[in-house]
Amino acid sequence: MAAVWYDTTIDGAVADGLGATRKSGWMRAWERAGKRLPIDYTGPGFGGRAHRVRSPGHDLGRPFEALRQIRAGEFRGVRWDYGDKYDVTVGGRFREVDSLAEALVLWAQHLAADVVTPMSLPMPGSSWLYELDNRALRKFAHEVYLGTSAGNGLNVRSGILTPSLSVITTEVILRTHVHARAYASTGSARLDEREQARRTELLLAAHSLVGAASAGKTLTRMIILDDRKGMALRHVNVPVLLRMGCLAVQVAHDRWTQSRAVAQDWDALAAGLMQ
C-alpha cells in the first residue's frame, strides 16, 4: 500500500538506479551499437524531448515495424501539420541490416540503452495513438509521455517496471507466509488443492487492495489537477491490474472445479443408495 502512495518517490529511486547503469561499459557498448539506426531519426517534426513517442521504432507494441525500418535502413513516421497528416520516409543516411537476428539484437540493445534514460520509453501503443486522426488522442499520448519534467510522465519505467515492484513484493510476502504456515502445521511446505485455492484467494485480496489504492490515488489526482488530467494515469498500477485479472480467472476456475467435485460426490452417494 505504501508503494502506491509513494510511487513517485520510488520511481525516482528506480530512475536513479537505472541511470547509474548508463556509465557501465556494457551499456555504453550497447548504446554505441544502437547508433545510426533509422528509428532514432529526429529531423523536422520528430525531434524534442518526447521524440520517442513519435517513432514507431521505440514502441514495444510495434516490433515488426521497428525491425522493418532497421533492416531497410529507412525511417517511417507520421507528421501532423495544422491537422493535416503527412507520411514521412527518410532513407539513405542509415545503415542497413541484412539478417533479422542482427536487427533484433540491435533493436534490443537500442531500447535497453533508452529505457535507462530519464525519459525511458513510451508505453506500448503510444506511437499508434499519435498517428490516429484524432487530435485529443494525439495530444494525450504526447503530454502523458512528456510529463511536467524529464521522466515525470507515463513511460515504461514509471508505468510497468516500478509498479511491478509492489506486485513482486506482495507475491513474495504472501507466498512465504502461506508456505511457512503449511510447514509449521504439517512439516511440509507443499500445499494441497484446497490450500492452493486459498493461497490464490489471499493473493487476489491483497492485490485488490493495492489496485483499489492505485485507482483511488489516480481519481484523486484527476480531481485535483486543473489541467493535464491525463498525468494522473501515471499512478495507475497496470501490473497489479493484470495480476488481479489472472487471479480472478484462477479463483473462478477453482470454485467451478470444486463445485463439480461436490456435485459428483452427491451423484455417487445417490447412486450408492439406489443399489
Side-chain angles (χ1 to χ4, degrees):
M1 294 286 286
V4 173
W5 296 109
Y6 298 100
D7 56 352
T8 303
T9 303
I10 295 174
D11 183 58
V14 173
D16 292 339
L18 291 176
T21 64
R22 297 180 64 188
K23 301 177 182 179
S24 62
W26 56 273
M27 185 58 73
R28 288 180 177 178
W30 285 9
E31 189 174 6
R32 288 193 299 270
K35 290 291 186 182
R36 296 185 60 233
L37 292 180
I39 62 174
D40 226 18
Y41 174 72
T42 55
F46 296 94
R49 184 155 53 92
H51 74 277
R52 291 170 189 161
V53 80
R54 297 188 288 272
S55 169
H58 288 93
D59 194 330
L60 292 173
R62 303 176 68 179
F64 298 110
E65 176 62 21
L67 294 174
R68 193 207 70 80
Q69 292 187 20
I70 293 173
R71 293 195 65 186
E74 180 182 80
F75 171 81
R76 293 199 317 176
V78 170
R79 186 180 73 233
W80 292 92
D81 189 10
Y82 295 101
D84 295 326
K85 181 179 180 180
Y86 297 92
D87 293 320
V88 178
T89 301
V90 180
R93 64 174 72 176
F94 308 106
R95 56 178 294 194
E96 297 181 10
V97 178
D98 295 330
S99 69
L100 177 61
E102 183 182 359
L104 185 60
V105 170
L106 287 173
W107 186 51
Q109 290 176 332
H110 185 87
L111 295 187
D114 282 348
V115 79
V116 300
T117 62
M119 291 299 293
S120 188
L121 293 170
M123 292 290 283
S126 296
S127 67
W128 177 73
L129 287 178
Y130 183 77
E131 293 179 1
L132 292 178
D133 190 10
N134 186 306
R135 188 176 184 278
L137 289 178
R138 296 198 304 271
K139 184 178 179 181
F140 168 79
H142 185 269
E143 289 188 350
V144 167
Y145 174 64
L146 183 63
T148 55
S149 60
N152 195 36
L154 181 62
N155 51 56
V156 168
R157 186 197 65 250
S158 65
I160 298 178
L161 296 182
T162 300
S164 295
L165 296 178
S166 64
V167 176
I168 295 172
T169 302
T170 302
E171 292 280 334
V172 170
I173 292 175
L174 262 179
R175 287 176 180 273
T176 301
H177 169 73
V178 171
H179 286 276
R181 188 177 61 181
Y183 183 81
S185 301
T186 64
S188 173
R190 300 186 64 178
L191 305 178
D192 57 23
E193 291 185 2
R194 179 175 296 181
E195 286 297 322
Q196 289 178 8
R198 188 170 184 273
R199 180 188 62 189
T200 304
E201 292 176 355
L202 287 174
L203 286 171
L204 177 58
H207 287 305
S208 296
L209 286 175
V210 177
S214 170
K217 183 173 182 178
T218 302
L219 181 60
T220 302
R221 294 284 292 175
M222 282 186 173
I223 295 174
I224 293 176
L225 292 175
D226 294 330
D227 57 350
R228 289 193 174 186
K229 292 184 180 294
M231 284 296 299
L233 293 178
R234 77 181 304 272
H235 300 292
V236 175
N237 195 318
V238 176
V240 81
L241 295 179
L242 294 176
R243 183 59 177 150
M244 284 169 55
C246 294
L247 289 170
V249 172
Q250 183 62 44
V251 168
H253 178 267
D254 291 342
R255 291 185 177 179
W256 178 76
T257 303
Q258 185 179 8
S259 64
R260 284 197 61 187
V262 172
Q264 290 175 356
D265 290 341
W266 278 106
D267 291 341
L269 178 61
L273 293 175
M274 293 295 293
Q275 292 179 354

